[in-house]
């Protein structure tokens, strides 16, 4: 029961809303029309208050039009031009004010006034010599003078220049101050000072006599009889419309009280209209507009009826626009294209990307060409009426293709950005493209590659970390017993009673234990540098002085070797900021490497240069062994020649690289055949910082 009541409230509220809004809108239209024709409307409103129709503006306007019409006809009849008389007959004449008059080919009534069989208007028309040449009154010879016939109380006389009016035996003021004003309801007749006089009218005489109370003509029509009738009809209409407005207020209250039920009903209706194609909705809107403007009868009641009939159509259009946003996308053309795209997608997925793009471009060109050709032919037959439709379809096809192209461009941009991120090693989220994207498969493959690379990097980092930890732990565990071994070897070296061959054994133990100690220390240093736990004392220092000091400390080994050192270091200070102890170890390892692995009798070049704000120490030598350029000899435990068996741990260059980078420099190796070049590069320190104390730097 509640459901039925709620449904009834919704229907009543909807109908009340229709009627009330229709009435209010129609009232607003009437009000706008009233304001646009304010003077004329006020004259009509004042006529409604007049009981005597001869005192109305409509009566004055009708008599003025009749007089001007009669004078025009008389002027035409007085002309000797036969063509003018022929044109006068069976024609329509419009005067300067836009009033239309109909003429009939009747010699007795060229003015068309005898249609009034009730004779509400008597007339005598002629010239100064024959004032009654034309008349519809056979009982009175002279209406210009004397008493009026029984039942008539109004007489208008035109004497060739001015008009005089007599009503109920008294004269009527026709001209007022002598100037005519169109918005004042004055008599629109000749004789005003601001109207040009027509000299052709001076010989004409006109007398019009109006009945006091108009009588309905049995045959024909009477303009004078229509004046009070129209007034009574208008007054009745206004009274009825006032009641209708009051009724609409009640309906509006009902619509407001049950507005929730009405909105729910509107949503349900909109849910059904959402499934309709846009073309059907557009045709319906055109039909509603045609009903509003095309079937208007011209009368006020006809306009109101047509408008009220079209209100449900406007309501359906309004709720569809409100609740079905973007409903224009559901149209016949887009549906056909979408179904065609879905049909072709099953085949396009098997084609390469470039083939799919070419097929899509071909479809666009075909659609544009067919639409233009058919639209051109139809526009010729319809005189251009379908040209806008053709242009709209071509623009729509271009929009559809452009949308697909823009989507492809966006997806391509996202894919290239993802590739760049992967190339730079950035940790980014997986790239997810729409299901219908042409690049979805490529994005999926890239995600798999990125996942594989990340997994491999994580495994490698984990392996390196485990290697460093293992080396560190093992080195630490070895260091303790090694210290005991070295201590006991020192004790054995102090024994003097040992045989010579035992002393030789002790000497070998001493050398190997010291070598093992140095190797373990190197492992510790590499582990600290790799883990970032190395403590540094950064301070400004003279790089040239540091290289010369390192060479001087190793001068004994240099002199003992069969190598010639060529040193090119400038005398002026070359200041950089680094840890002096760590950098000393770098150059010590490089010089030791050159002493161990350089070809006998060759030269070793040591140089220091400055360029573009950087200082570079280069050490060049000819290798004794054949070097493999594909092997990174700066890695830990890696030798340039895997076959060589000379002493060395394979950590010298690795330590040099780690210490250089830890101090903020750059370490590089270049191999050209047997030429081995090691470069250590640091940015120069500005003089203002170089002059500070180490604690302040």
């Amino acid at each position: 029961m509640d459901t039925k009541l709620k449904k009834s409230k919704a229907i009543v509220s909807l109908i009340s809303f229709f009627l009330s809004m229709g009435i209010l809108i129609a009232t607003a239209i009437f009000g706008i029309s009233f304001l646009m024709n304010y003077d004329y409307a006020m004259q009509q409103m004042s006529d409604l208050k007049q009981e005597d129709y001869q005192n109305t503006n409509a009566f004055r306007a009708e008599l003025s039009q009749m007089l001007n019409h009669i004078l025009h006809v008389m002027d035409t009849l007085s002309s000797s031009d036969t063509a003018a008389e022929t044109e006068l007959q069976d024609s329509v004449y419009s005067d300067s004010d836009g009033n239309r008059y109909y003429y009939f080919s009747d010699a007795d009534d060229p003015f068309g006034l005898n249609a009034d069989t009730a004779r509400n208007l008597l007339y005598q028309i002629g010239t100064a010599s024959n004032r009654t040449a034309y008349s519809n009154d056979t009982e009175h010879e002279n209406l210009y003078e004397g008493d009026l016939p029984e039942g008539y109380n109004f007489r208008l006389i035109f004497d060739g220049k001015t008009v005089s009016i007599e009503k109920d035996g008294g004269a009527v003021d026709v001209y007022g101050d002598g100037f005519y004003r169109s918005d004042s309801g004055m008599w629109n007749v000749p004789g005003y000072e601001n109207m040009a006089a027509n000299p052709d009218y001076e010989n004409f005489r006109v007398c019009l006599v109006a009945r006091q109370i108009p009588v309905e003509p049995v045959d024909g029509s009477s303009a004078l009889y229509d004046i009070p009738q129209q007034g009574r009809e208008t007054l009745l209409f206004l009274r009825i419309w006032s009641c209708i407005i009051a009724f609409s207020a009640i309906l509006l209250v009902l619509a407001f009280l049950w507005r929730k039920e009405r909105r729910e009903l509107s949503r349900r209706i909109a849910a059904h209209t959402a499934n309709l194609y846009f073309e059907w909705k557009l045709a319906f809107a055109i039909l509603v507009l045609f009903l509003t403007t095309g079937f208007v009868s011209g009368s006020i009641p006809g306009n109101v009826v047509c408008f009220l009939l079209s209100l449900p159509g406007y309501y359906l259009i309004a709720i569809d626009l409100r609740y079905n946003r973007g409903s224009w996308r559901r149209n016949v053309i887009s549906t056909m294209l979408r179904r065609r795209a879905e049909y072709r997608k099953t085949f396009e997925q098997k084609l390469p990307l470039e083939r799919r793009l070419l097929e899509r471009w071909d479809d666009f060109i075909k659609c544009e060409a067919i639409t233009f050709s058919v639209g051109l032919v139809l526009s010729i037959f319809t005189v251009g009426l379908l040209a806008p439709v053709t242009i709209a379809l071509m623009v729509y096809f271009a929009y559809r293709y452009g949308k697909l192209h823009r989507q492809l461009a966006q997806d391509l941009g996202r894919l290239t950005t993802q590739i760049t991120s992967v190339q730079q090693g950035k940790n980014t989220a997986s790239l997810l493209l729409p299901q219908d994207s042409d690049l979805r498969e490529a994005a999926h493959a890239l995600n798999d590659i990125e996942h594989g690379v990340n997994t491999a990097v994580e495994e490698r980092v984990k392996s390196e970390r485990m290697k460093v930890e293992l080396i560190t732990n093992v080195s630490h565990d070895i260091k303790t017993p090694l210290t005991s071994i070295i201590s006991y070897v020192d004790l054995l070296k102090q024994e003097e009673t040992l045989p010579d061959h035992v002393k030789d054994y002790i000497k070998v133990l001493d050398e190997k234990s010291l070598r093992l100690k140095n190797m373990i220390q190197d492992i510790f240093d590499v582990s600290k540098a790799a883990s970032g736990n190395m403590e540094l004392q950064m301070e400004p220092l003279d790089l040239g002085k540091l290289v010369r000091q390192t060479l001087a400390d190793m001068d004994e080994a240099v002199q003992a070797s069969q190598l010639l050192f060529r040193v090119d270091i400038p005398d002026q200070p070359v200041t950089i900021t680094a840890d002096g102890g760590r950098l000393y170890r770098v150059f010590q390892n490089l010089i030791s490497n050159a002493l161990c692995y350089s070809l006998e009798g060759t030269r070793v070049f040591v140089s220091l240069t400055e360029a573009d704000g950087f200082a570079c120490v280069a050490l060049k030598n000819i290798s004794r062994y054949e070097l493999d350029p594909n092997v990174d000899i700066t890695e830990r435990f890696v030798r340039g020649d895997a076959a060589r068996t000379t002493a060395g741990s394979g950590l010298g260059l690795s330590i040099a690289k780690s210490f250089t980078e830890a101090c903020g420099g750059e370490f590089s190796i270049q191999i050209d055949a047997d030429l081995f070049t090691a470069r250590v590069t640091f940015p120069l320190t500005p003089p203002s910082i170089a002059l500070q104390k180490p604690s302040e730097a």
Side-chain angles (χ1 to χ4, degrees):
M1 187 66 182
D2 293 340
T3 304
K4 292 182 178 179
L5 180 60
K6 188 174 181 180
K7 185 176 181 181
S8 301
K9 287 182 179 180
I11 296 175
V12 172
S13 176
L14 187 60
I15 296 175
S16 301
F17 180 77
F18 280 157
L19 295 177
S20 60
M21 292 305 297
I23 294 171
L24 292 177
I25 293 174
T27 304
I29 294 174
F30 292 156
I32 294 173
S33 177
F34 182 87
L35 293 176
M36 293 178 64
N37 303 277
Y38 180 76
D39 296 330
Y40 177 73
M42 291 303 296
Q43 291 177 11
Q44 285 188 323
M45 294 298 294
S46 64
D47 289 348
L48 297 178
K49 301 177 183 179
Q50 298 293 336
E51 297 181 359
D52 187 354
Y53 83 103
Q54 293 177 355
N55 292 331
T56 62
N57 293 285
F59 178 78
R60 287 191 289 271
E62 184 65 31
L63 265 292
S64 298
Q65 290 179 6
M66 286 185 180
L67 176 60
N68 289 318
H69 164 56
I70 291 170
L71 294 176
H72 175 76
V73 174
M74 287 293 294
D75 184 40
T76 305
L77 293 175
S78 65
S79 175
S80 59
D81 190 355
T82 305
E85 295 180 5
T86 304
E87 181 183 357
L88 176 65
Q89 298 173 352
D90 299 324
S91 63
V92 179
Y93 157 69
S94 298
D95 62 11
S96 59
D97 293 332
N99 301 313
R100 298 169 63 86
Y101 303 100
Y102 297 86
Y103 303 110
F104 308 93
S105 56
D106 187 351
D108 296 330
D109 183 24
F111 313 103
L113 300 177
N114 290 345
D116 181 9
T117 59
R119 299 176 67 194
N120 291 314
L121 181 69
L122 302 178
Y123 66 87
Q124 288 183 349
I125 304 170
T127 60
S129 59
N130 183 11
R131 296 189 299 177
T132 60
Y134 300 95
S135 177
N136 67 343
D137 184 14
T138 58
E139 298 178 2
H140 303 83
E141 295 181 358
N142 185 7
L143 293 176
Y144 289 88
E145 300 171 351
D147 296 334
L148 295 174
E150 184 178 357
Y152 295 85
N153 69 328
F154 182 90
R155 177 163 48 197
L156 182 148
I157 298 175
F158 176 70
D159 61 2
K161 292 184 178 180
T162 60
V163 172
S164 60
I165 297 176
E166 175 187 348
K167 183 179 183 302
D168 295 326
V172 176
D173 184 10
V174 178
Y175 297 104
D177 60 357
F179 295 94
Y180 177 74
R181 289 175 289 276
S182 60
D183 58 350
S184 61
M186 300 176 66
W187 291 88
N188 186 11
V189 295
Y192 289 98
E193 294 184 22
N194 57 338
M195 284 187 176
N198 192 338
D200 296 335
Y201 294 170
E202 293 182 359
N203 191 40
F204 300 151
R205 300 295 183 268
V206 179
C207 178
L208 303 177
V209 178
R211 192 184 293 274
Q212 184 176 8
I213 301 176
V215 179
E216 180 181 3
V218 179
D219 298 324
S221 61
S222 173
L224 297 185
Y225 177 77
D226 292 339
I227 292 174
Q229 288 296 114
Q230 291 177 355
R232 286 189 288 271
E233 292 176 359
T234 303
L235 185 60
L236 178 62
F237 172 77
L238 291 177
R239 290 173 180 172
I240 295 175
W241 192 256
S242 299
C243 297
I244 292 175
I245 293 176
F247 179 67
S248 69
I250 299 175
L251 295 178
L252 192 61
V253 172
L254 291 176
F256 178 77
L257 293 177
W258 296 336
R259 60 188 182 279
K260 293 183 179 179
E261 291 79 3
R262 186 182 72 253
R263 290 174 183 171
E264 183 63 27
L265 180 60
S266 299
R267 289 190 182 93
R268 293 180 181 178
I269 296 174
H272 292 287
T273 60
N275 298 323
L276 300 177
Y277 288 118
F278 176 73
E279 289 82 359
W280 296 1
K281 297 178 183 179
L282 183 62
F284 179 76
I286 295 174
L287 180 62
V288 172
L289 184 62
F290 186 66
L291 178 64
T292 306
T293 60
F295 290 106
V296 175
S297 62
S299 62
I300 293 178
N303 294 344
V304 173
V305 170
C306 290
F307 181 76
L308 292 177
L309 290 177
S310 61
L311 267 182
Y314 286 114
Y315 163 76
L316 293 176
I317 296 172
I319 63 173
D320 184 73
L321 293 175
R322 179 179 179 182
Y323 296 107
N324 300 325
R325 301 291 178 85
S327 60
W328 60 271
R329 296 187 180 92
R330 179 176 173 78
N331 54 73
V332 176
I333 297 176
S334 63
T335 302
M336 292 174 61
L337 292 176
R338 183 170 59 253
R339 290 178 180 176
R340 183 175 182 274
E342 292 174 355
Y343 175 76
R344 292 197 58 185
K345 184 175 291 185
T346 56
F347 300 98
E348 285 186 349
Q349 295 298 334
K350 302 177 182 179
L351 298 176
L353 176 60
E354 60 274 13
R355 180 69 180 275
R356 274 182 275 170
L357 298 180
L358 290 175
E359 290 284 341
R360 196 172 298 164
W361 172 254
D362 291 341
D363 288 345
F364 170 67
I365 295 298
K366 291 175 183 178
C367 289
E368 292 286 353
I370 294 173
T371 303
F372 177 77
S373 302
V374 176
L376 180 62
V377 175
L378 294 178
S379 298
I380 293 175
F381 283 104
T382 59
V383 198
L385 294 178
L386 292 180
V389 178
T390 303
I391 296 174
L393 285 175
M394 294 182 68
V395 171
Y396 177 75
F397 289 137
Y399 166 77
R400 291 275 302 187
Y401 179 79
K403 183 178 180 181
L404 294 175
H405 185 71
R406 286 193 299 272
Q407 182 64 39
L408 177 62
Q410 293 175 359
D411 294 344
L412 185 61
R414 295 174 61 187
L415 182 63
T416 54
T417 302
Q418 188 77 359
I419 292 174
T420 303
S421 300
V422 173
Q423 186 267 335
Q424 294 176 353
K426 296 181 180 178
N427 187 14
T428 57
S430 298
L431 178 60
L432 300 177
L433 296 181
Q435 187 69 30
D436 57 346
S437 175
D438 294 314
L439 301 175
R440 182 177 176 84
E441 295 181 0
H444 183 70
L446 178 62
N447 292 335
D448 292 342
I449 294 174
E450 184 178 6
H451 178 71
V453 170
N454 291 336
T455 302
V457 170
E458 290 177 0
E459 291 294 332
R460 182 174 180 180
V461 170
K462 183 178 179 180
S463 176
E464 291 291 331
R465 187 182 300 111
M466 292 178 62
K467 184 189 295 183
V468 171
E469 292 177 356
L470 177 63
I471 293 173
T472 303
N473 294 333
V474 171
S475 300
H476 184 272
D477 292 339
I478 294 175
K479 192 174 183 180
T480 300
L482 180 61
T483 303
S484 299
I485 293 173
I486 294 174
S487 299
Y488 281 109
V489 169
D490 289 338
L491 292 175
L492 290 174
K493 288 168 58 179
Q494 296 176 7
E495 293 292 335
E496 298 179 356
T497 60
L498 294 176
D500 293 337
H501 67 280
V502 174
K503 291 182 180 180
D504 293 336
Y505 296 156
I506 294 173
K507 182 178 179 182
V508 173
L509 287 174
D510 184 42
E511 293 176 355
K512 299 302 181 182
S513 61
L514 290 177
R515 180 185 172 191
L516 183 59
K517 179 181 179 181
N518 293 333
M519 184 183 298
I520 292 174
Q521 185 61 42
D522 291 343
I523 293 174
F524 268 114
D525 293 338
V526 171
S527 300
K528 288 182 179 180
S531 61
N533 295 324
M534 181 181 294
E535 297 181 0
L536 300 175
Q537 296 181 357
M538 304 293 289
E539 60 182 354
L541 54 88
D542 185 357
L543 184 59
K545 182 178 180 181
L546 180 63
V547 175
R548 282 193 290 268
Q549 179 182 348
T550 307
L551 289 171
D553 293 343
M554 301 182 67
D555 183 67
E556 184 178 351
V558 171
Q559 296 298 332
S561 67
Q562 299 179 6
L563 301 175
L564 297 178
F565 276 73
R566 295 290 184 263
V567 180
D568 182 11
I569 299 176
D571 295 333
Q572 64 272 19
V574 178
T575 306
I576 63 169
T577 300
D579 186 325
R582 304 297 181 182
L583 204 55
Y584 176 86
R585 180 73 177 279
V586 170
F587 296 122
Q588 186 182 44
N589 284 5
L590 291 178
I591 296 172
S592 297
N593 185 75
L595 293 175
C596 292
Y597 305 121
S598 295
L599 183 64
E600 293 82 354
T602 60
R603 287 179 291 274
V604 178
F605 295 88
V606 180
S607 62
L608 172 60
T609 57
E610 296 181 63
D612 300 328
F614 288 87
C616 179
V617 176
L619 191 147
K620 301 178 182 180
N621 65 285
I622 302 299
S623 176
R624 182 188 309 169
Y625 307 97
E626 183 178 357
L627 300 176
D628 186 355
N630 298 320
V631 176
D632 185 5
I633 59 178
T634 61
E635 289 292 329
R636 293 185 292 273
F637 307 107
V638 174
R639 298 171 180 265
D641 181 10
R644 72 178 189 240
T645 58
T646 56
S649 62
L651 294 174
L653 295 180
S654 178
I655 293 174
K657 179 180 180 181
S658 300
F659 284 10
T660 301
E661 293 177 352
C663 293
E666 181 179 349
F667 184 88
S668 62
I669 296 294
Q670 183 178 358
I671 297 175
D672 185 5
D674 291 336
L675 176 61
F676 177 87
T677 304
R679 287 187 174 86
V680 177
T681 305
F682 276 88
L684 293 172
T685 300
S688 58
I689 299 178
L691 293 176
Q692 298 178 5
K693 296 180 180 179
S695 60
E696 299 175 350

